[in-house]
Amino acid sequence: MQNQLSHIKVAVDAIVFGYSKQDGVSVLLIQRKYPPFKNSWAIPGGFVLEHESLETAVKRELEEETGITVNYLEQLYTFGEPERDPRQRVIAIAYFGLVKASMYQELKASTDAENAQWFSIKKLPPLAFDHKQILQAAIARLRSKIRYQPIGFELLDKKFPFSDLEKLYTALLDKDINRRNFSKKILSFDFLEETGEVSKPDGKGRPSKMYQFNQKRYRELLKEGFHFEI
Amino acid sequence: MQNQLSHIKVAVDAIVFGYSKQDGVSVLLIQRKYPPFKNSWAIPGGFVLEHESLETAVKRELEEETGITVNYLEQLYTFGEPERDPRQRVIAIAYFGLVKASMYQELKASTDAENAQWFSIKKLPPLAFDHKQILQAAIARLRSKIRYQPIGFELLDKKFPFSDLEKLYTALLDKDINRRNFSKKILSFDFLEETGEVSKPDGKGRPSKMYQFNQKRYRELLKEGFHFEI
DNA sequence: TCAAAAGTGTTTCACTTACACCCATGA
DNA sequence: TCATGGGTGTAAGTGAAACACTTTTGA
């Protein structure tokens, strides 16, 4: 095997989720400029360079195509059916990323991102290749993972009112949540801390305390055998 | 992109677990015949052919190298660090497989398997490439997955005494299990059925009822929103 | 002073945990 | 009849679910 060449190409894709109170959970898509599927919406991604790690490749492609930097990234699944790309055999290692609400707002301003756009996961456009299937796998991962790992905080701002967290969970889990029991449960975990600030009420109602996720405390709890579960 | 060739090669690996009361949980390894890592033990696997799906490739390689057929297979993770193979860039899509106790016994008889062998996960040999890391990921997956999905039955025979299941769980989860509460919990799920048979006691003690996993009933329960958890 | 949203106390109920005892078999 | 492993009943403890009430703000 003297550096043989392969007929199979290796690509990475990035399914990036963002959140806002107005639009709920959204995913970042780009519009294709060239055939096949010209002008279709697609998941950002591209081919892996010979000496670059898979994660580096995802981050690079994401930066090039959308200008976005994620604050959470994990491997999702590898899609490799022989016919998934009509041109030639391409296997795609899909990654799952999250960005904070502040980054979500910034996309509009970026110049790299002229053909990148957020789509609410409730109103998705038709997608190129097998990207519908990939996106569905990512949404399933997000929905299940948010129940046993505190990744919800990666979608909110650093400091947030408690109701934001509750709205996020309501948006992702279908059943509606009992406000009282939800707050009792989350606060009993003891990894949220009050910042001392309060939110100015937008319009009406009592202002709420601002909280932030204490990552260090969470890691300590994990070491003690703690298990997060909603 | 007219069928360009890639400098990155695509391989699949299969981490297959088996179980027996004597050896506990074991993993199937092969001894390498050629350099690099000649004579080292390694996870079975090989390169993906141009027109074959990833799953087909895993099953084919497993059959060729060990003669084993799995009754459960899922994708584990894709390993793609640039330096993981000293010869050239190879990304490996690792799969996670389980075989029933009867298949576990058969390996010894198979001729294909002259250089394949079961190793207890408690006494593992040094491994080629980054296979130690891959195997650790697989063991972690098995340990965590057995808690929220009834894959334990894929490691036992079709019919088994209850204590076999208990021993399997004791072997995988570190903490020891309260026999009474474990059986109450499993039986309350209502996907195990008595076969009417009893085991002949091997040596001593009261014979036990034989049970079998009712896959159909389990699927029904899932539809009703049932959630398995130990 | 009213509507809206935040914040909190308490009872009920179900399930887990812990413990103890009985049963069937071979030697 | 004894040792061994299989099979089962139940009380106590813990935590989730349900519900109702109070507080703080803007209009």
Side-chain angles (χ1 to χ4, degrees):
Chain A
M1 189 178 85
Q2 288 301 318
N3 273 300
Q4 292 170 12
L5 299 180
S6 167
H7 285 276
I8 306 182
K9 297 204 79 182
V10 178
V12 285
D13 286 337
I15 301 92
V16 176
F17 292 104
Y19 176 73
S20 72
K21 257 174 283 188
Q22 308 84 275
D23 310 330
V25 179
S26 301
V27 62
L28 184 60
L29 299 176
I30 57 162
Q31 192 161 29
R32 288 179 60 80
K33 288 176 176 169
Y34 311 103
F37 297 101
K38 186 176 173 182
N39 297 325
S40 269
W41 291 93
I43 295 168
F47 292 112
V48 178
L49 303 179
E50 190 175 352
H51 298 295
E52 128 193 282
S53 77
L54 300 177
E55 259 199 42
T56 307
V58 189
K59 286 177 182 166
R60 176 181 53 71
E61 288 286 351
L62 206 48
E63 163 63 28
E64 286 173 12
E65 296 186 338
T66 71
I68 281 267
T69 308
V70 295
N71 55 297
Y72 180 89
L73 189 69
E74 68 172 38
Q75 194 182 294
L76 173 65
Y77 197 80
T78 297
F79 296 84
E81 287 304 306
E83 305 303 333
R84 57 180 296 281
D85 188 313
R87 293 163 297 180
Q88 77 168 106
R89 182 81 190 268
V90 177
I91 71 147
I93 300 124
Y95 279 77
F96 166 98
L98 303 174
V99 297
K100 289 206 176 279
S102 46
M103 180 65 86
Y104 179 87
Q105 305 300 342
E106 272 174 34
L107 179 63
K108 291 147 193 161
S110 165
T111 46
D112 296 322
E114 45 186 29
N115 55 341
Q117 201 174 297
W118 290 110
F119 285 86
S120 162
I121 60 171
K122 288 181 180 169
K123 283 182 284 181
L124 292 168
L127 295 180
F129 304 105
D130 58 351
H131 287 188
K132 182 179 178 184
Q133 185 198 348
I134 299 179
L135 181 49
Q136 274 170 347
I139 293 173
R141 175 82 131 244
L142 176 60
R143 285 223 166 94
S144 76
K145 192 139 196 168
I146 203 166
R147 300 185 55 174
Y148 62 87
Q149 207 174 303
I151 54 171
F153 304 105
E154 305 296 339
L155 288 168
L156 302 177
D157 279 319
K158 193 170 185 317
K159 300 175 182 180
F160 53 87
F162 203 89
S163 58
D164 271 19
L165 188 65
E166 193 193 318
K167 278 175 198 133
L168 173 60
Y169 271 87
T170 312
L172 279 173
L173 313 175
D174 264 337
K175 61 176 180 185
D176 55 329
I177 293 169
N178 179 302
R179 191 167 51 94
R180 175 68 181 121
N181 294 333
F182 182 73
S183 87
K184 253 196 299 185
K185 183 163 215 165
I186 297 281
L187 291 177
S188 75
F189 290 147
D190 199 32
F191 53 53
L192 277 196
E193 52 193 24
E194 300 185 11
T195 66
E197 300 160 69
V198 291
S199 75
K200 31 183 180 306
D202 46 10
K204 46 205 168 186
R206 176 177 175 173
S208 57
K209 297 178 195 167
M210 298 295 274
Y211 288 90
Q212 63 189 20
F213 180 58
N214 186 334
Q215 190 96 41
K216 194 171 148 230
R217 177 83 184 108
Y218 173 64
R219 293 225 185 82
E220 282 170 17
L221 286 167
L222 279 186
K223 273 183 203 151
E224 296 165 17
F226 159 83
H227 176 66
F228 176 79
E229 180 111 39
I230 299 296
Chain B
M1 191 177 86
Q2 288 302 319
N3 275 299
Q4 291 169 14
L5 299 181
S6 167
H7 285 275
I8 307 180
K9 297 203 80 181
V10 177
V12 284
D13 285 338
I15 301 92
V16 176
F17 293 103
Y19 176 74
S20 73
K21 258 175 283 191
Q22 307 84 274
D23 311 331
V25 178
S26 300
V27 63
L28 184 60
L29 299 175
I30 57 162
Q31 192 161 30
R32 288 179 59 81
K33 287 177 176 169
Y34 311 103
F37 297 100
K38 186 177 174 184
N39 296 325
S40 269
W41 291 93
I43 295 169
F47 293 110
V48 178
L49 303 180
E50 190 176 353
H51 297 295
E52 119 193 291
S53 77
L54 301 177
E55 257 199 45
T56 308
V58 188
K59 286 177 182 166
R60 176 180 53 72
E61 288 287 351
L62 206 49
E63 162 64 27
E64 285 173 13
E65 296 186 338
T66 71
I68 281 265
T69 309
V70 295
N71 56 298
Y72 180 88
L73 189 69
E74 68 172 38
Q75 195 183 295
L76 173 66
Y77 197 81
T78 297
F79 296 84
E81 286 305 306
E83 305 303 334
R84 57 179 297 279
D85 188 313
R87 294 164 295 182
Q88 77 168 107
R89 182 82 190 267
V90 178
I91 72 149
I93 299 125
Y95 279 76
F96 167 99
L98 303 175
V99 296
K100 289 207 176 279
S102 46
M103 180 65 85
Y104 179 89
Q105 306 299 343
E106 273 175 34
L107 180 63
K108 291 147 194 160
S110 165
T111 47
D112 298 322
E114 46 186 26
N115 56 341
Q117 202 174 297
W118 289 108
F119 285 86
S120 161
I121 60 171
K122 286 179 179 171
K123 284 181 283 183
L124 292 168
L127 295 179
F129 304 105
D130 57 351
H131 287 188
K132 182 179 177 184
Q133 186 198 347
I134 298 179
L135 181 50
Q136 275 170 348
I139 293 172
R141 175 83 130 243
L142 177 60
R143 285 223 166 94
S144 75
K145 191 139 197 169
I146 203 167
R147 300 186 55 175
Y148 61 87
Q149 207 175 301
I151 54 171
F153 305 104
E154 305 296 339
L155 288 168
L156 303 177
D157 280 319
K158 191 171 186 315
K159 300 175 181 182
F160 53 88
F162 203 89
S163 58
D164 271 18
L165 189 65
E166 192 194 319
K167 279 175 198 131
L168 174 60
Y169 271 86
T170 312
L172 279 172
L173 312 175
D174 265 336
K175 61 175 179 188
D176 56 325
I177 291 169
N178 179 302
R179 188 167 52 93
R180 176 65 181 123
N181 295 334
F182 182 73
S183 86
K184 254 196 301 185
K185 183 164 215 163
I186 298 282
L187 291 176
S188 76
F189 291 147
D190 199 33
F191 53 54
L192 275 196
E193 52 192 25
E194 300 184 13
T195 66
E197 299 161 70
V198 290
S199 74
K200 31 183 178 305
D202 46 9
K204 47 206 167 186
R206 174 177 176 174
S208 57
K209 298 178 196 168
M210 299 295 273
Y211 289 90
Q212 63 189 20
F213 180 59
N214 186 334
Q215 191 95 40
K216 193 169 149 234
R217 176 82 181 108
Y218 173 64
R219 294 226 184 82
E220 281 170 16
L221 286 166
L222 279 186
K223 274 184 203 151
E224 297 165 18
F226 160 82
H227 176 65
F228 176 79
E229 180 110 40
I230 299 295

